[in-house]
């Protein structure tokens, strides 16, 4: 078995974090995003190599670039977007793909508001994809492409070595020729490539850990709901942590801090009595005493928030300091 993880792109939706690290290496629940996928693939016995683009090739061109690696035998291969998180049901996908015997399988997932997405219309019995509809005004489907595929090597004959969109230039032709099928994912799924969804996906992942009985969830004093804390982090007295919080390595949280639905990345410090809700605190950043931050505020690396400030829905680029409150969402450059 083989797999190709698409890690190109500029990660603009996840800035300011991606101004410090490439998106696939940003820690999601205390592991780089990419590592969640690699660990799931390793369970199938898949080894790792690198296919390096000289220029951006879109979402299909990289398959042509890696043609020699992907077509070394007749086994099907997986393709993954690097910013999705789910239970990665690779074995189920492989079985489904072999059963229908055609060139491609797309994992699809259900969404509440399909009008925001391109949806997949397929036969519910067989999974055969009929067509794709971009942001439908009227309801035609509530299933979207989950960014997780399995292909037979024959699909490579469809793809040229040039910048190409697999979603717009390859999939519609495969569907027209009845060569593309959909398998609906069970369990949670999220594209965590932007801050709001990153936080939502974290909550889903932590809930999945709880359902699986994972021992990695934190259960110390002051904890409410699902919380993940690196063993090297230090938490003070009388704190309220959770629900849905991840605290990274070497983080220091002083006394009386309240953190909800937030991520605190490695080396950050949250000073006494600060209050955080739906925030991402970047590496080695500091939040001052009695500061209040909320509404998907994201601090880049090495940001300093002064004492007693209110910060609302703000994106702060790396190595900046705030000395005044910012009550309205904006980007601090």
């Amino acid at each position: 078995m083989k797999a190709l993880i698409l890690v190109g792109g500029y990660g603009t939706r996840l800035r300011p974090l991606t101004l410090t690290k490439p998106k696939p290496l940003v820690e999601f629940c205390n592991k780089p995003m990419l590592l969640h996928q690699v660990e799931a693939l390793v369970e199938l016995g898949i080894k790792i190599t690198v296919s390096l683009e000289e220029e951006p090739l879109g979402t299909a061109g990289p398959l042509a670039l890696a043609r020699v690696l992907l077509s070394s035998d007749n086994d099907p291969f997986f393709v993954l977007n690097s910013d999705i998180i789910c239970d990665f049901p690779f074995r189920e996908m492989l079985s489904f793909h072999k059963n229908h015997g055609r060139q491609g399988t797309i994992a699809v997932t259900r969404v509440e508001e399909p009008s925001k997405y391109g949806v997949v219309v397929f036969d519910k019995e067989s999974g055969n994809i009929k067509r794709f509809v971009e942001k439908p005004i009227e309801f035609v489907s509530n299933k979207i492409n989950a960014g997780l595929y399995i292909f037979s090597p024959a699909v490579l004959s469809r793809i040229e070595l040039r910048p190409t969109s697999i979603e717009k230039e390859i999939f519609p032709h495969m569907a027209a020729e009845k060569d593309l099928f959909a398998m609906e994912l069970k369990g949670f799924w999220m594209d965590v490539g932007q801050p709001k969804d990153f936080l939502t996906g974290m909550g889903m992942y932590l809930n999945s850990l709880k359902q699986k009985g994972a021992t990695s969830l934190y259960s110390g004093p002051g904890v409410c709901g699902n919380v993940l804390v690196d063993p090297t982090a230090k938490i003070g007295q009388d704190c309220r942590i959770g629900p849905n919080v991840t605290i990274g390595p070497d983080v220091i949280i002083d006394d009386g801090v309240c953190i909800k639905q937030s991520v605190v990345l490695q080396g950050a410090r949250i000073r006494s009595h600060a209050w955080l809700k739906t925030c991402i605190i970047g590496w080695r950043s500091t939040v001052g005493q009695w500061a209040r931050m909320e509404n998907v505020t994201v601090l880049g690396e090495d940001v300093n928030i002064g004492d007693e400030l209110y910060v609302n829905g703000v994106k702060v680029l790396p190595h900046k300091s705030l000395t005044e409150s910012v009550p309205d969402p904006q980007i601090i450059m």
Side-chain angles (χ1 to χ4, degrees):
M1 288 297 299
K2 298 171 290 294
L4 180 69
I5 304 177
L6 300 170
V7 298
Y10 298 104
T12 54
R13 296 182 302 156
L14 200 55
R15 288 179 180 171
L17 300 179
T18 49
L19 296 174
T20 296
K21 291 186 178 184
K23 181 171 63 174
L25 299 184
V26 172
E27 295 90 338
F28 176 85
C29 292
N30 287 346
K31 288 182 190 176
M33 286 187 200
L34 188 62
L35 186 56
H36 290 271
Q37 301 180 341
V38 168
E39 287 180 345
L41 289 168
V42 166
E43 291 181 4
L44 296 179
I46 292 176
K47 298 180 180 180
I48 299 173
T49 187
V50 175
S51 176
L52 182 63
E53 293 178 333
E54 297 292 334
E55 61 175 334
L57 291 172
T59 52
L63 278 70
L65 183 65
R67 188 187 311 272
V68 173
L69 297 172
L70 297 174
S71 60
S72 60
D73 54 39
N74 290 323
D75 289 342
F77 58 88
F78 293 101
V79 176
L80 299 79
N81 292 342
S82 64
D83 52 8
I84 61 168
I85 192 74
C86 64
D87 282 327
F88 300 113
F90 294 127
R91 288 185 173 85
E92 292 87 340
M93 287 187 69
L94 178 60
S95 176
F96 179 87
H97 181 76
K98 287 183 174 180
N99 283 340
H100 68 66
R102 305 298 290 183
Q103 287 187 7
T105 298
I106 299 178
V108 299
T109 188
R110 183 175 62 85
V111 293
E112 297 299 328
E113 297 183 56
S115 60
K116 293 183 178 181
Y117 303 90
V119 299
V120 183
V121 181
F122 61 95
D123 183 275
K124 291 185 179 180
E125 296 297 324
S126 67
N128 185 218
I129 293 176
K130 299 177 180 178
R131 66 187 191 278
F132 299 87
V133 181
E134 186 65 27
K135 296 181 179 179
I137 298 174
E138 297 182 354
F139 182 88
V140 292
S141 172
N142 61 355
K143 306 298 192 304
I144 66 168
N145 179 351
L148 181 61
Y149 320 122
I150 183 169
F151 298 121
S152 299
V155 78
L156 297 171
S157 64
R158 299 177 177 271
I159 304 172
E160 299 177 7
L161 184 55
R162 61 177 178 83
T164 311
S165 166
I166 199 167
E167 298 87 355
K168 295 179 180 179
E169 298 178 66
I170 306 301
F171 285 167
H173 295 291
M174 293 178 68
E177 296 170 20
K178 298 185 177 181
D179 250 334
L180 193 59
F181 283 68
M183 189 193 94
E184 188 170 354
L185 287 179
K186 301 186 187 306
F188 77 102
W189 173 91
M190 183 56 65
D191 173 345
V192 295
Q194 55 188 353
K196 182 179 178 181
D197 294 337
F198 189 95
L199 293 172
T200 300
M202 175 192 64
M204 292 178 172
Y205 179 81
L206 295 181
N207 186 58
S208 176
L209 289 181
K210 181 180 179 181
Q211 291 176 347
K212 294 173 182 176
T215 58
S216 54
L217 291 176
Y218 186 72
S219 58
V223 167
C224 172
N226 299 326
V227 174
L228 195 62
V229 178
D230 186 89
T232 62
K234 298 179 180 178
I235 300 176
Q237 301 295 314
D238 302 318
C239 293
R240 289 173 292 159
I241 310 295
N244 298 336
V245 170
T246 298
I247 296 173
D250 305 316
V251 167
I252 298 175
I253 297 175
D254 291 351
D255 296 345
V257 167
C258 179
I259 307 177
K260 307 175 182 179
Q261 298 164 254
S262 297
V263 174
V264 185
L265 294 171
Q266 182 171 13
R269 180 160 191 176
I270 314 299
R271 296 194 178 274
S272 60
H273 304 288
W275 188 95
L276 309 178
K277 182 178 181 182
T278 58
C279 296
I280 303 176
I281 309 302
W283 307 274
R284 291 168 290 282
S285 290
T286 301
V287 177
Q289 300 178 49
W290 295 101
R292 180 184 177 102
M293 297 170 50
E294 60 184 335
N295 193 22
V296 197
T297 288
V298 184
L299 307 185
E301 180 187 17
D302 183 36
V303 169
N304 183 67
I305 305 296
D307 295 345
E308 302 180 18
L309 300 186
Y310 174 60
V311 182
N312 175 39
V314 176
K315 311 295 186 288
V316 186
L317 272 63
H319 314 299
K320 302 295 180 182
S321 295
L322 292 189
T323 57
E324 297 180 352
S325 293
V326 186
D328 299 314
Q330 59 185 278
I331 298 173
I332 304 296
M333 302 180 66

